[in-house]
Amino acid sequence: MTKKIVITSGKGGVGKTTLTANLGLALAKMGFSVLLVDADFGLNNLDVVMNLESKITYDLSDVLEGRCRTKQALVQDRIRKNLYVLPSNSLNSGSGVSGQNLKLVVENVSPLFDYVLLDCPAGIDLGFHRAVSCCDNAIVVTTPQMSCIRDADKVISILKSYKLDSVSLVVNRARGDLVVGDKMMSPLDVEALLDTDLIGVLPEEDVIFLSGGYALPMHSDSYKGYKILANNIVKGKKKIFDVTNKYLGFFGSIRRSIKRSI
């Protein structure tokens, strides 16, 4: 049975689209067939992150308005042949799109895939409810900043009313040096505050910017974090990447000093 997961957040700019792209890639590398749906009408950029703009002929708006079949709008990833994207349209705000119509599109194409991930608009407006109504599971993305955590708490409260199979938490942009120095809230503290199962921790790392945010180098901590997250989703585990490990002990204190001086 296809697992449909909405990737959402309370506040914009927390790395939701980057997470959707790299989680999809990690699942595809495990051998699963994966579809990523850009449900953020008007502010879509999933195709940009994955460098697929030039391959787009049709998009989600064309499907919803009957100009093409769903399969015609699917775009195959350049890296993994079992990873596809259903792009959205930056010229369409989606104001005329109903949750029921979007759900029909997702249900029509989902039997072709093991996993369907929906990149949801930030916040709790119409676009949020439209995307959530298509899925059975949700992942809420937040950073360790209090304003983001507060907004994530609002989103989680609303998600509970949908009675989904699961609502999980991913803490993004965690800095181990600041956590060790008690200058940033730890992922476990965020989990306790939000009272939601933590299934992923992703570090703040320059390689994300340098790589364009997609197809991260295998030696990077971010790559390891995504690999652990994908494995948790597939196997139902709760192992998380330890962002503090390299900053503990004698050599860790040297790394923290270097980090502070940069």
Side-chain angles (χ1 to χ4, degrees):
M1 181 182 293
T2 305
K3 192 167 186 177
K4 292 172 285 189
I5 307 172
V6 61
I7 313 295
T8 184
S9 66
K11 187 177 290 296
V14 298
K16 177 172 47 61
T17 298
T18 300
L19 185 146
T20 302
N22 286 287
L23 175 57
L25 181 58
L27 290 168
K29 285 183 176 180
M30 294 176 72
F32 297 102
S33 56
V34 183
L35 173 63
L36 310 181
V37 180
D38 195 338
D40 193 350
F41 291 88
L43 296 175
N44 59 302
N45 57 15
L46 187 58
D47 57 316
V48 176
V49 170
M50 300 176 70
N51 191 28
L52 295 174
E53 307 124 289
S54 62
K55 295 185 68 174
I56 296 174
T57 302
Y58 297 106
D59 56 45
L60 186 51
S61 295
D62 293 312
V63 177
L64 291 166
E65 294 172 16
R67 289 188 289 270
C68 71
R69 298 189 305 275
T70 306
K71 289 183 181 180
Q72 291 178 287
L74 301 184
V75 181
Q76 190 176 49
D77 185 50
R78 298 179 189 275
I79 300 173
R80 302 295 298 192
K81 302 304 181 184
N82 53 335
L83 175 62
Y84 289 81
V85 176
L86 179 54
S88 187
N89 189 326
S90 60
L91 300 178
N92 186 341
S93 66
S95 58
V97 178
S98 70
Q100 184 61 33
N101 288 342
L102 182 60
K103 186 175 182 179
L104 287 173
V105 171
V106 173
E107 289 182 346
N108 177 55
V109 75
S110 61
L112 301 174
F113 299 93
D114 298 310
Y115 288 89
V116 175
L117 309 183
L118 269 77
D119 185 13
C120 173
I124 52 176
D125 294 333
L126 173 63
F128 164 81
H129 293 281
R130 191 167 49 204
V132 173
S133 67
C134 300
C135 298
D136 307 309
N137 305 271
I139 293 176
V140 178
V141 186
T142 186
T143 63
Q145 282 71 41
M146 187 54 68
S147 60
C148 295
I149 294 170
R150 184 179 64 179
D151 288 349
D153 186 46
K154 296 175 185 177
V155 167
I156 290 169
S157 297
I158 295 172
L159 287 172
K160 289 178 180 179
S161 69
Y162 275 89
K163 299 181 180 179
L164 302 172
D165 293 340
S166 68
V167 177
S168 306
L169 176 68
V170 169
V171 175
N172 193 22
R173 298 176 182 164
R175 281 187 53 177
D177 60 316
L178 295 183
V179 172
V180 171
D182 291 325
K183 295 180 179 179
M184 175 178 279
M185 197 177 300
S186 76
L188 292 178
D189 288 337
V190 177
E191 178 185 34
L193 274 176
L194 295 176
D195 192 23
T196 302
D197 289 337
L198 181 67
I199 62 165
V201 175
L202 302 168
E204 176 73 47
E205 203 171 18
D206 291 344
V207 70
I208 297 175
F209 173 79
L210 296 173
S211 65
Y214 183 60
L216 305 169
M218 293 180 65
H219 62 78
S220 66
D221 287 343
S222 297
Y223 180 91
K224 297 171 186 175
Y226 279 110
K227 188 174 181 179
I228 292 172
L229 171 59
N231 192 61
N232 286 344
I233 290 172
V234 172
K235 298 182 179 180
K237 296 184 177 181
K238 295 182 181 179
K239 180 181 178 182
I240 60 171
F241 179 76
D242 185 2
V243 294
T244 66
N245 187 54
K246 64 164 63 175
Y247 296 105
L248 298 173
F250 174 73
F251 291 106
S253 65
I254 295 176
R255 291 192 184 97
R256 293 202 305 275
S257 298
I258 294 173
K259 194 84 170 177
R260 285 195 300 268
S261 65
I262 296 176

